[in-house]
Amino acid sequence: METSKKVKQQKKKVLLMGKSGAGKSSMRSIIFSNHVAKDVRRLGATIDVDKKRVKFLGNLLLDIWDCGGQDAFTESYLTSQKSYVFGDVGVLIYVFDVESSDFTDSARGNSDRDLQTYSSIISALDEYSPNARIFTLVHKMDLVANEYRNEVIRNKTAAITARSGRFARTIGTYATSIWDETLYRAWGSIVNSLIPNLDVVEEGLKDLQRVTEAEEVVLFEQNTFLTVTRVSSEVGDENPTGDRYERLSNIIKTFKNSLSSYTESNSSHQFDSFTIKTGIFNLIINRLTYNTYVLVVFPPGEAELQCARLNILTAKDEFARIESVAEAADDDFRNLRGR
């Protein structure tokens, strides 16, 4: 496989905002810090802005600003810290608590303070980062009865879109919960939208899919196990389980965390390869680069398995070149934090 395009390093500032108690820090800890849902209850409220840099796919660096949602902090963000907080933003992720009593229709005499705050933040973002992407998460959906969830998310989405100004046409809204795969679906979509030169990565996966005759090839980020991208054959396209990638993210990350508790090893270096052999298919999850794992589903048979392993080994060099600029950013981050 040959890649002619040079991948440039990308740094993206990501604002994580929302009312205090909406679940912002909990979801960030699950996705990026290997916490499990039952443990995040011990997390305290975020004070002011908690900054964290996450290296994603080597050449994409996410500067995540987890902004405390208490009223005093929000007022500060919108006044004295306005240009500092809202300048140079690549993505705003705004989290709404689905059970908040302040997310309602003011025309009916109820409080809509959550939406008023969101609208003010959208205005500030439009002023200082007009090219930013916006994603809104209606969180804690596990607290809503199944039969009402579609109606609730439909109504919430309409209200949010109405307050999103000129961003309304491009905003993405997701229903999420820390207790199921919806969190991985939302964050996977968010991060996927930020990955530069994604076409280069996908071309490499298509080559691997072709030589292994795979039904599906899925690329995961090694720490979060969010789905980076995937390719599939016509047979793979017929798979009726639409949320299988998010389920896999959740299952594999849980598996990694379990290994950590038994081996007492660093959670980012858990396993190199995992294989399932059946009479219907073979499946390999293999370390592809320092930053990624690849999942390949392909026809059964020992010869097919060995050939797939060889092709994955060959592909490692190519994908390593795609990530070749990864390490150059460490000093930049130290300078950023020192500002």
Side-chain angles (χ1 to χ4, degrees):
M1 295 181 287
E2 294 292 334
T3 299
S4 59
K5 299 181 181 180
K6 182 179 179 180
V7 178
K8 295 182 179 179
Q9 185 178 39
Q10 300 284 330
K11 290 186 288 185
K12 297 289 186 179
K13 179 178 176 182
V14 179
L15 290 185
L16 182 57
M17 307 189 82
K19 184 178 179 179
S20 180
K24 304 181 297 298
S25 298
S26 295
M27 63 172 64
R28 190 197 74 178
S29 296
I30 290 172
I31 295 295
F32 294 107
S33 299
N34 292 322
H35 284 71
V36 294
K38 64 182 180 64
D39 292 335
V40 298
R41 296 174 181 175
R42 299 196 296 264
L43 297 175
T46 301
I47 304 301
D48 201 4
V49 179
D50 182 11
K51 299 177 186 176
K52 180 180 179 66
R53 167 161 285 190
V54 177
K55 184 184 296 183
F56 195 94
L57 264 192
N59 61 302
L60 176 61
L61 300 168
L62 305 180
D63 292 323
I64 300 177
W65 292 32
D66 186 355
C67 302
Q70 296 89 334
D71 290 344
F73 293 139
T74 302
E75 179 67 21
S76 176
Y77 305 149
L78 293 169
T79 53
S80 61
Q81 297 190 77
K82 195 173 183 181
S83 61
Y84 171 68
V85 172
F86 294 101
D88 299 318
V89 174
V91 170
L92 166 67
I93 303 170
Y94 200 92
V95 183
F96 290 96
D97 183 344
V98 71
E99 287 207 316
S100 174
S101 59
D102 291 327
F103 188 124
T104 48
D105 186 352
S106 60
R108 298 178 181 177
N110 298 316
S111 170
D112 64 347
R113 188 172 63 171
D114 288 358
L115 289 170
Q116 291 177 19
T117 300
Y118 170 73
S119 182
S120 297
I121 287 171
I122 291 298
S123 296
L125 192 71
D126 193 16
E127 179 179 357
Y128 289 97
S129 298
N131 296 320
R133 295 285 306 275
I134 299 177
F135 296 87
T136 57
L137 309 184
V138 181
H139 195 46
K140 304 181 183 179
M141 286 296 292
D142 56 284
L143 301 177
V144 179
N146 287 333
E147 60 266 31
Y148 299 119
R149 289 182 184 178
N150 289 339
E151 179 183 359
V152 167
I153 191 61
R154 184 168 57 249
N155 292 338
K156 300 282 189 186
T157 299
I160 292 167
T161 302
R163 299 295 187 102
S164 297
R166 68 173 188 83
F167 296 101
R169 290 179 297 176
T170 57
I171 191 172
T173 300
Y174 296 86
T176 58
S177 168
I178 63 173
W179 299 102
D180 59 31
E181 66 277 356
T182 55
L183 194 62
Y184 288 90
R185 179 186 307 136
W187 278 89
S189 297
I190 292 167
V191 174
N192 185 273
S193 73
L194 293 172
I195 296 173
N197 300 81
L198 188 61
D199 57 331
V200 178
V201 178
E202 290 177 343
E203 283 302 315
L205 291 185
K206 287 178 182 178
D207 285 346
L208 183 58
Q209 184 265 328
R210 186 164 49 250
V211 297
T212 58
E213 299 182 351
E215 291 183 14
E216 292 191 285
V217 180
V218 186
L219 190 68
F220 295 101
E221 197 274 332
Q222 67 92 15
N223 186 45
T224 64
F225 254 90
L226 293 174
T227 301
V228 176
T229 189
R230 69 266 185 179
V231 297
S232 58
S233 67
E234 292 182 0
V235 175
D237 289 338
E238 295 175 356
N239 191 314
T241 309
D243 61 352
R244 60 191 179 281
Y245 306 113
E246 295 81 20
R247 290 189 184 187
L248 282 168
S249 293
N250 201 355
I251 291 168
I252 298 170
K253 191 167 185 182
T254 301
F255 172 67
K256 285 180 72 232
N257 291 339
S258 297
L259 285 177
S260 178
S261 64
Y262 283 105
T263 62
E264 298 183 355
S265 62
N266 187 307
S267 62
S268 65
H269 298 86
Q270 298 288 284
F271 66 96
D272 287 324
S273 183
F274 180 90
T275 303
I276 297 176
K277 296 191 293 183
T278 76
I280 303 174
F281 65 89
N282 283 320
L283 181 149
I284 293 178
I285 302 172
N286 205 97
R287 192 68 171 263
L288 188 62
T289 69
Y290 182 81
N291 299 289
T292 60
Y293 280 86
V294 66
L295 179 148
V296 185
V297 182
F298 55 97
E302 185 63 27
E304 287 79 1
L305 178 62
Q306 298 307 323
C307 286
R309 286 175 172 165
L310 180 60
N311 281 301
I312 291 171
L313 181 63
T314 303
K316 286 186 176 184
D317 289 339
E318 174 60 22
F319 282 92
R321 281 195 291 273
I322 293 175
E323 296 184 4
S324 60
V325 296
E327 299 302 323
D330 289 342
D331 290 338
D332 290 344
F333 178 47
R334 295 189 186 96
N335 294 334
L336 177 69
R337 289 186 66 87
R339 291 179 185 174

